[in-house]
Every structure is written in C-alpha cells, then in structure tokens.
Amino acid sequence: MNISRRSLLKLGALGAVTGTGSSLFGAGVAHAAEASPPVSSLNELAYRLVVPEIFRALPSAPSHSEALVIGTGFGAAVAALRLGQAGVQVTMLERGSRWPRDPWRQSFSSESLLDGRAVWFRKSFTGFDGITRPVDSFGGVLDVTDYEHIKVWRGAAVGGGSVVFTGAMVQPEQRFFDQVFQGVVSYEEMDRRYYPLARQMLGVSPMPSDVYQSAPFGHSRLWDTHVTQAGYTPQRIDSIFQWEVVRSELTGRSRPSAIIGESTFGNANGAKYDLGQNYLPQAEATGRVSIHPGHRVTAIGREVDGRYWVQVDVIAPNGTVLRKRTLTADRLFLGAGSIGTSELLVAARDTGALPDLDESIGAGWGSNGDAAIARSFSSLEGFNQGSPCASRILDEGGMPVTLENWYVPNLPANPGLIGTLGMALDSQRGSFRYDSTRQKVVLDWPSQGNDNAVAALRVVNNRIAAASGTQVGVPILAPDVNASFTAHPLGGAVLGAATDACGRVKGYTHLYVVDGAAVPGSTGTVNPSLTITALAERSMAEIIRAGQ
C-alpha cells in the first residue's frame, strides 16, 4: 500500500491519544455500542487511513425484532426489502464490514498485491494462477473455507457474494432447471415473473460493443475467436457491471478497477452493481430495515414461547470480539449462504437447539460443477484483462457443460493466459454433519467428487486448445482444469426436502431459508446468483401473501 510511514505514525499517535485508535473516524456516535479496539499492527493502521468507515463504532442491534435476517447476500437482501415494504421491522446481521464506494479511492485490496482486505482471516491465499500469496490476517471480503476435499469461496461483507463474484447473471435453460428442481419449482412461473423481476432489480445487461472492442477486453475477443475456431457459437451473457462506470474508467474519469481485472475482492468505484447499490439501500429506505455489520452469528435456537434466539459475536475488523449477545426474533430468515445457513441448521438440530428439524437438513450440497480452466501461450490482446464476462458456450456432447469467458485474476498484466470458468451439470452431492468431538459442522465431500465434471470440461477445453493452437494449463503453476474449489456452493437446506417449496423450514413455524442453501446443488450449468435472487423473490411473495 502506498502510505507513508509518517502518515502511519501520525495515525497511530491519534489512536494512542483516544485509546481506541478510532475517534477520528466517528467512534463517538451517540447510538453506537461497540467502538473499535486499539490497533494491532502497522497494516491495520494503514487500513484505518484508507478505509476509516469500517472502523467506526458499530450500531447496536435491537434485543428483539419482528424479523431477523442472517446475512446480507442476494436472498437475504430480497427478504429484507420485501418484509420492510410489507411493514415488518427487520434486523439484518452481517459478520463482515460495510465497505465504502469511491470513484478514486482503492477501498479494497488490489488483485495482484494482496493484503488483509482481500480475505477473511487467513494468512495466505492461493489464486487461480496456482501461486500462494501471504496476507495479514484481517476481516477481508472473501472467505475461503477449507473442507477435507474442497475449498469454498464466499463473501464476507455487507452485500455478501455480490461484492466478490464476477457479475455474470445467466438464466438456466428450462430442461436443465427442471432436471435440477424436479418439479418443486415451476420454470414457467420463474420465467414469466421472477427472473424478469430479478433482472430488473439488479440492472443486468450484456457487455456493449464499445466496451467489448476496447483494449482491456482483447482477451474476451480472443476467447470468442478460439471457441469459434473449435466450432462453437459464443453467446453474449448478462452482467451486473455498470457499463457507464466502466466507460468512466476507460476515459480516465474514475480509477481503473474493472478494466484492470478487479472483481474477486470488490470494485470500490461501483463498477459492479452490488447489493449495496440496489436491494439493500432500498430496504433501508423503507425505514423499517437496519443493517448491522460486524455481527457474526454463532448459533440459533428457539425459546419455549416460540421466539427464536440468535447468539452473536460483535467483532471488530481485526477479529477482536467486542461483545457477545443473544438476540431474539418472532421470525427468523436464514440468508447466510449455503455454508453459513447449513452449518447453523445442522448444529442446531444435532445439539438439540432445534431438535425437530428434518433429517434432510445438511443434505443435497453441491459445487455447481465449478472448475477454473486455463490455456496458455496465447497471443496477447491488450495489456490488462478486464474482469466482466462477455460470453459463454454450451456443450452437450456428453455431460452438459458451460464455459464462460473469464479473466485471469491476481495478475498485474496480460501474460498471454486465457481463463475460463466451467460449470457442469453433474449429480455429485455431499452433506454436512455435526462432529461432536470437534464441536463443529463438517462437509463430507468425496475425494473424487469433481472427477466427472472435470473430465467433461477437459474434453471441451482440449478441443478449443487444439483448434486455436494454445496449450492446456499453465506449465508448473496451474492445471488445465482445477476443481479443488467452488465459488458457487449450493444446497444443504433444499427446497422440497428440508423446506417446503417456498423455503419454510419443516418442523418449525416462522423459520425460513432464502439463500443458496435452498438450491439442490446446481443451477443447471449457470452462475447461481440470478436464480437465487429470483427464488427468493418467489418465496417472499408467497410468505408475505400467506402471512407465514
């Protein structure tokens, strides 16, 4: 970070005077309950200078709420907005920080020079390029959760996954959707009403021709050329990126972000139209919804009077636990993502906090058939690789697979590598269980769980490489098809199994799942965010209509 030692020492002196290191940044707000702790490192001093907003004292969540929403991602944001519009008082709990937007300030970590703002309390991060980079432990925006045979990437910020995803918003084809949901959800209803509503709310659109033809998207044009040479027809895809902001970057009216390959750790200039720019501010504008960052939920249960209780650690951005609280609510909406929601429910069932939960809680988890795909020794098109996706192809020669034009993250310049995100319609599923010895929830995922998806995606990648004269993989660094991680965790509290068709959890009233945990392991070879949003809109419409 380009911050002088003099600035750091000055900031440290201010912190020493106040005893908290944060009064300069608003820690004295009257309604705030938890102020930041003393600074713990020079890196943290730097973060306080660059993003003072995340160190401001945290507003105290009410002890009791009509409705409590855990999480601030796609499904949670839909639930909060629609409840607020219906006149319900809503409290949203988010473990991560609320990061500011600014056209010139780099609030988030860069992709190539990572720091603690990038990842959620880790000391290293291994990216798509296979290089492991050290980072300082801090409450960054991307959580990488390590299970025995797979890593899971997920958001840890106000806005959830919308902050860290690549912005692709694709509606699945009906035959794939129906294969996944098995009639529990009507595709016709989704196509007629809820997919259009989600697209409208999120402002999605395909990459315009002038952006596509600009220098930072030479890799996109080259990708399209390569797949065309292999006999495919690339299809333009909708994206959540705001093209006017991208144009501002291209013309020097905003700090470059999307055009230099920033996305995985956020776009501070608002180029990515994350939930902090649509659903969440609209929810707050109802006057009935409050958002509480730094509130990490550790357990849930139910009292004898029917109220739900939620145990919370109120945490500072450096991980210090400022306070432990127990909050209650009449209705509890789980929107903590597939991992967070599944872990909370499995632990609640198996520790006796919610003993009547269905045995299918924790089952039906899948990786969406995700894999990162690489080719190398391509010709160079442009100095940088922009992050928004332009196009995709579908191959149904075997297991149905989609390949999306991707950028190569974590690199400061274009090295002639071609990145692709692959998604396969595989049937492999895992399950969560509570390990009483370690007192934690674990994911049982087979060591060869992704092999069929990898094999199907490899066939297509090999075909493209042969036709384009490129090499599969990146010598020494990265394999041709890497399925050791997923950025699209789905399932664990599946619609029609653990819940009814609208996310009402079986065994209890006024308990709901509104996020990716409700999706049965796959969204049919496409990125899940649009489907999660549309499903949440559908569920909330029915829950509010029925009054329960």
Side-chain angles (χ1 to χ4, degrees):
M1 298 179 65
N2 296 321
I3 300 174
S4 70
R5 180 174 177 82
R6 178 178 297 176
S7 296
L8 290 176
L9 292 174
K10 181 178 179 181
L11 187 62
L14 286 168
V17 170
T18 66
T20 66
S22 62
S23 67
L24 182 65
F25 310 128
V29 178
H31 67 276
E34 280 78 34
S36 294
V39 295
S40 58
S41 68
L42 284 177
N43 282 333
E44 185 183 329
L45 281 172
Y47 305 149
R48 287 177 182 265
L49 184 63
V50 177
V51 279
E53 294 90 339
I54 69 171
F55 292 94
R56 289 174 178 157
L58 299 172
S60 183
S63 297
H64 180 76
S65 305
E66 285 185 69
L68 200 153
V69 178
I70 301 176
T72 56
F74 287 100
V78 171
L81 172 60
R82 301 312 178 196
L83 288 168
Q85 290 174 334
V88 179
Q89 181 265 321
V90 181
T91 300
M92 301 187 78
L93 303 180
E94 168 59 55
R95 60 181 173 156
S97 296
R98 190 166 196 167
W99 297 80
R101 282 182 299 280
D102 188 286
W104 295 107
R105 185 170 30 143
Q106 187 167 346
S107 302
F108 299 115
S109 171
S110 76
E111 293 262 348
S112 55
L113 298 173
L114 301 190
D115 59 45
R117 294 171 297 170
V119 290
W120 182 257
F121 299 112
R122 291 179 68 93
K123 294 184 178 180
S124 66
F125 174 77
T126 302
F128 171 78
D129 55 12
I131 299 174
T132 298
R133 296 167 171 81
V135 294
D136 54 299
S137 182
F138 190 74
V141 297
L142 181 70
D143 183 328
V144 180
T145 304
D146 298 314
Y147 293 107
E148 186 174 3
H149 298 303
I150 194 168
K151 297 179 185 291
V152 179
W153 293 10
R154 52 195 180 119
V158 171
S162 76
V163 175
V164 299
F165 81 141
T166 54
M169 305 294 280
V170 186
Q171 179 175 333
E173 298 186 42
Q174 179 170 359
R175 64 189 185 280
F176 298 150
F177 182 97
D178 289 344
Q179 182 176 334
V180 169
F181 285 93
Q182 295 290 304
V184 173
V185 178
S186 164
Y187 185 87
E188 288 80 4
E189 180 188 32
M190 293 282 285
D191 181 58
R192 181 179 69 254
R193 182 174 181 183
Y194 296 112
Y195 277 124
L197 176 58
R199 280 195 292 269
Q200 176 187 355
M201 289 293 300
L202 296 170
V204 305
S205 62
M207 184 182 292
S209 295
D210 62 313
V211 175
Y212 178 76
Q213 294 296 337
S214 65
F217 297 94
H219 69 290
S220 300
R221 300 191 297 275
L222 195 61
W223 191 92
D224 285 352
T225 297
H226 289 174
V227 299
T228 300
Q229 289 171 339
Y232 297 101
T233 300
Q235 308 164 11
R236 288 294 179 92
I237 61 176
D238 282 337
S239 174
I240 206 171
F241 275 87
Q242 299 191 88
W243 304 117
E244 281 306 312
V245 179
V246 176
R247 291 184 178 108
S248 293
E249 295 181 26
L250 290 167
T251 56
R253 292 176 289 129
S254 174
R255 186 187 71 82
S257 181
I259 66 172
I260 61 171
E262 291 183 349
S263 180
T264 306
F265 309 113
N267 297 87
N269 65 354
K272 190 190 301 177
Y273 192 50
D274 59 50
L275 293 166
Q277 301 176 74
N278 41 70
Y279 275 98
L280 292 176
Q282 289 184 43
E284 290 178 304
T286 66
R288 300 181 182 91
V289 178
S290 61
I291 300 173
H292 300 271
H295 283 61
R296 180 176 60 198
V297 176
T298 59
I300 61 174
R302 198 181 197 193
E303 297 181 341
V304 292
D305 63 2
R307 289 183 173 189
Y308 289 94
W309 56 260
V310 175
Q311 291 181 352
V312 177
D313 286 345
V314 182
I315 60 174
N318 66 7
T320 300
V321 177
L322 305 173
R323 186 181 178 192
K324 292 181 178 290
R325 299 189 65 194
T326 298
L327 310 177
T328 60
D330 298 325
R331 292 192 276 178
L332 181 59
F333 291 81
L334 299 176
S338 170
I339 300 298
T341 290
S342 298
E343 289 184 342
L344 287 171
L345 286 172
V346 168
R349 181 192 60 196
D350 294 351
T351 60
L354 292 173
D356 295 331
L357 289 173
D358 191 83
E359 63 180 9
S360 61
I361 289 288
W365 187 87
S367 68
N368 202 42
D370 276 9
I373 303 172
R375 288 182 288 112
S376 55
F377 299 110
S378 169
S379 59
L380 296 177
E381 291 279 350
F383 182 73
N384 295 110
Q385 294 191 4
S387 52
C389 297
S391 52
R392 67 192 281 261
I393 62 171
L394 171 67
D395 186 289
E396 297 183 77
M399 176 188 293
V401 298
T402 287
L403 278 70
E404 280 181 358
N405 157 231
W406 211 19
Y407 72 112
V408 179
N410 310 127
L411 296 179
N414 184 358
L417 304 180
I418 296 293
T420 297
L421 175 63
M423 289 166 283
L425 188 60
D426 72 331
S427 58
Q428 180 64 59
R429 298 293 179 264
S431 60
F432 294 93
R433 61 179 172 84
Y434 184 73
D435 185 330
S436 58
T437 301
R438 292 187 287 171
Q439 295 187 330
K440 65 179 294 186
V441 176
V442 298
L443 173 64
D444 289 328
W445 182 255
S447 58
Q448 281 77 44
N450 295 312
D451 283 6
N452 291 336
V454 167
L457 291 163
R458 178 171 286 135
V459 168
V460 179
N461 192 45
N462 288 349
R463 174 178 169 179
I464 297 169
S468 61
T470 55
Q471 177 175 318
V472 297
V474 181
I476 301 175
L477 293 178
D480 57 338
V481 182
N482 176 10
S484 64
F485 76 101
T486 179
H488 299 147
L490 298 168
V494 172
L495 293 173
T499 77
D500 72 359
C502 291
R504 301 180 183 93
V505 177
K506 293 181 179 179
Y508 291 89
T509 58
H510 302 147
L511 179 63
Y512 314 89
V513 172
V514 293
D515 58 16
V519 179
S522 170
T523 47
T525 78
V526 300
N527 314 70
S529 300
L530 184 67
T531 295
I532 292 171
T533 305
L535 284 171
E537 288 281 17
R538 172 183 172 274
S539 292
M540 292 309 302
E542 170 57 22
I543 290 166
I544 291 170
R545 184 201 65 78
Q548 60 179 7

